[in-house]
DNA sequence: CATGAATGAGTTTTCATTCAT
DNA sequence: GATGAATGAAAACTCATTCAT
């Protein structure tokens, strides 16, 4: 029981640090965030962070991978590979907006750090994997004449851009992400890409 | 001619600092950029920056206002206020993409720094002015049943998001912004918003 | 004992910084003293000073208040308010010269920094409190015809001046502050002010 | 005439620099004063100072010697070496207070810098010369049983201290140096030293 | 294991001095 | 000679990281 307790506590601290880091990195960026503040917000000593993460870069990479994995899993779990593109887009949009609404900070954090110089290869690979999935989708949808016959990367970029635009408008306080708004946004997005 | 030479050289130095700062702030962000690097890239001494800008914050604000003004002017000069929304959208899109293609770094810089805590009131006001113009456009276009009857802020957010998505795809190397691509993007964007 | 040890050591560091700052500020003034030198003389890292004092100004103010408080306490503790002025002057003179002999550097530091632009309100108030006490003494002594019927501020200024003159002569090496000399000085001072 | 004009102008600039430096050094000290401010207040270019003074140290030394010479001349010109000490003291006191009243800033500057590390040998020698004259006076006055049989350096220190105390009280705004006050001060001072 | 005081390398910023005009 | 823009060495201060407790 002691061991369990310790393990739990150990995990708790790691989670607390990741949670604190998420908030600070999302709001102030990597260089704008100072480690003692992460520690304070996590309720641990400054030195404790270094028991769980080798240094600041390792922390941001762990955080990135943590949320990027959740993001990819959210989008991909039980993905209806065989369904028609239109339906698959709906699934994608619903899952993406659900994530965005549940974890707005995590989405902001990911979006802010995608091409940061302090991300390592593994983190970058994870990102590229997601992009690639998007392009594959648009290649197939185009072949089926469902979406416009434009470069897949263009389609992916614009779809992604709309999602990001939505989140930013939400975060600057100008747009509440109600179900109605999310459906309207989906309609816009689909209109943008459908043939 | 000597006088002209002096004046030019003086301007050149300020301009060189702004150009260097643009590149570094766009790539590494505000906190990730160190002043001696700005100086070195500008080809001036470290102290020289402080003859032209009171401190790092003043520099980033001057840079923001500089490019935001050019951006707003690019979009608004001789704007055909009386033309039908569809045509005005074309004008907006063409001007925006021209700016994006001519000054991709400036666009990235602006996009990266909206809402940053080190921007002062004047800089923020300039940004809000642009957003407001967007919303006004969509309000009117909606009244004329040209665009979807959705919240103007949603429409603005998604339009803006597509532009940003385009730029990011371009900068990560996956998408060249040829005339054809830009026209395709315009088509997507218009389809997204039209009723 | 361990706890005591820690507390002591913590206090020791702050104390060491104050001691180093006293010596340097007294000898070289505020602007002539550089923080790394304070750190080195205190035997701590440069950054450590900033754990105890917010900045250089906070350090000089803390130091000023520290010694000014000791000075005021030295003069005022168990002050014989009811004794005749002549005796009270003796008490004042003895206490002042004792302080001057025990802490010559502190006296020099205080004298050098009265009215400095970097002293804050609290520090200045402490100084004014001492001056006021001096004037009150001379007002009363004058009413009793013990001292000259001259402006109290003049009397205070000259008494204070003699003390300062004594310390300066001592510090430039020309005058040792033996008991005999201090008594002679007291005699001079009393002759100067008595009616 | 051109040459004369130039020479005059040259002198004017040097004077202007010395005047500006006096005010700034007296108020803010050596390290607290920055050269461009001296130049601005003198109404000359920053580089111009270096045509007249090799560097900041040379400037402060020139200024010190300038005023110390005037001070010594003021006290010593037509000095009544043969008059009785009491009268000589009167002369000294009157001349000193006249200087103090005419050039309070210069007196403050001299007093502030007497033992500064950036003063060179020549400047220090000038100071020592004045001190020596004071001691000689008290030695003789003591031999004649006019003043107290105390160490001359003590007498000098206290006399000097009273003068400085007077000036400081005046500069902090608490004491106006009217003729009456100066005479009262003289009386105090003489009472302090006379046997 | 956990801590947080301590560190010093690295940052922003200042300023005495130079030198092209 | 006079200037003041330019400089870079040195200042104040910050912060990622360590290590004694």
């Amino acid at each position: 029981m002691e061991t369990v307790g310790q393990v739990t506590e150990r995990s708790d601290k790691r989670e607390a640090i990741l949670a604190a880091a998420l908030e600070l990195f999302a709001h102030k960026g990597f260089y704008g965030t100072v480690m003692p503040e992460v520690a304070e917000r996590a309720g641990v000593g400054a030195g404790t962070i270094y028991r769980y993460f080798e240094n600041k870069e390792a922390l941001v990479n762990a955080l990135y991978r943590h949320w990027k994995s959740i993001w990819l899993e959210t989008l991909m779990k039980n993905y209806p590979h065989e369904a028609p593109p239109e339906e698959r887009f709906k699934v994608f949009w619903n899952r993406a907006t659900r994530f965005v609404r549940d974890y707005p900070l995590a989405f902001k954090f990911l979006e802010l750090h995608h091409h940061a110089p302090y991300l390592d290869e593994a983190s970058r690979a994870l990102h590229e994997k997601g992009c690639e999935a998007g392009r594959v989708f648009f290649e197939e949808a185009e072949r089926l004449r469902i979406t416009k016959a434009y470069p897949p990367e263009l389609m992916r970029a614009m779809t992604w851009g709309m999602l990001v635009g939505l989140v930013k408008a939400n975060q600057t306080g100008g747009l509440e992400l109600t179900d109605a708004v999310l459906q309207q946004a989906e309609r816009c997005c689909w209109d943008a890409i459908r043939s």
Side-chain angles (χ1 to χ4, degrees), chain A residues 9-19 52-53 62 66:
Chain A
E9 196 169 338
R10 192 183 184 288
S11 292
D12 281 356
K13 294 219 156 133
R14 194 175 190 275
E15 310 277 272
I17 292 165
L18 284 171
Y52 295 95
F53 306 96
H66 175 78

Side-chain angles (χ1 to χ4, degrees), chain A residues 39-53:
Chain A
E40 194 190 18
R41 188 178 284 251
V44 303
T48 305
I49 297 179
Y50 292 85
R51 300 217 142 266
Y52 295 95
F53 306 96

Side-chain angles (χ1 to χ4, degrees), chain A residues 5 8 12 36 39 46-47 52 65-66 72 76 84 99 132 171-172 176:
Chain A
T8 302
D12 281 356
Y52 295 95
R65 282 202 281 275
H66 175 78
L72 288 175
M76 295 309 183
F99 181 94
E132 182 55 21
Q171 266 157 4
T172 57
E176 213 184 336

Side-chain angles (χ1 to χ4, degrees), chain A residues 16-178:
Chain A
I17 292 165
L18 284 171
L22 175 65
E23 231 171 309
L24 291 168
F25 284 149
H27 283 131
K28 314 196 193 190
F30 179 71
Y31 295 113
T33 298
V34 307
M35 293 296 265
E37 202 184 350
V38 175
E40 194 190 18
R41 188 178 284 251
V44 303
T48 305
I49 297 179
Y50 292 85
R51 300 217 142 266
Y52 295 95
F53 306 96
E54 197 173 342
N55 53 34
K56 202 181 178 184
E57 284 205 6
L59 171 59
V60 78
N61 274 283
L63 190 63
Y64 186 89
R65 282 202 281 275
H66 175 78
W67 283 108
K68 193 76 185 186
S69 299
I70 294 177
W71 164 259
L72 288 175
E73 214 179 330
T74 300
L75 292 197
M76 295 309 183
K77 199 172 184 185
N78 303 322
Y79 185 72
H81 287 94
E82 309 305 325
E86 188 162 359
E87 195 181 320
R88 271 148 63 201
F89 172 78
K90 269 199 165 74
V91 168
F92 159 79
W93 188 262
N94 284 332
R95 291 178 174 186
T97 52
R98 173 155 48 94
F99 181 94
V100 158
R101 201 149 57 168
D102 291 349
Y103 314 111
L105 231 47
F107 188 84
K108 189 181 181 188
F109 166 76
L110 289 173
E111 182 59 16
L112 191 59
H113 290 82
H114 280 140
H115 301 98
Y118 38 78
L119 283 196
D120 57 28
E121 266 315 303
S123 299
R124 285 212 177 96
L126 221 47
H127 176 56
E128 190 43 45
K129 187 179 154 191
C131 291
E132 182 55 21
R135 281 191 296 268
V136 167
F137 168 82
F138 282 108
E139 272 163 16
E140 190 193 338
E142 184 198 332
R143 271 200 306 277
L144 297 171
R145 311 280 164 183
I146 304 290
T147 57
K148 292 185 170 78
Y150 295 167
E153 175 62 6
L154 170 62
M155 306 296 269
R156 189 205 60 75
M158 301 201 81
T159 310
W160 183 258
M162 282 181 266
L163 197 61
V164 173
L166 217 53
V167 174
K168 282 198 184 153
N170 173 243
Q171 266 157 4
T172 57
L175 187 69
E176 213 184 336
L177 297 185
T178 62

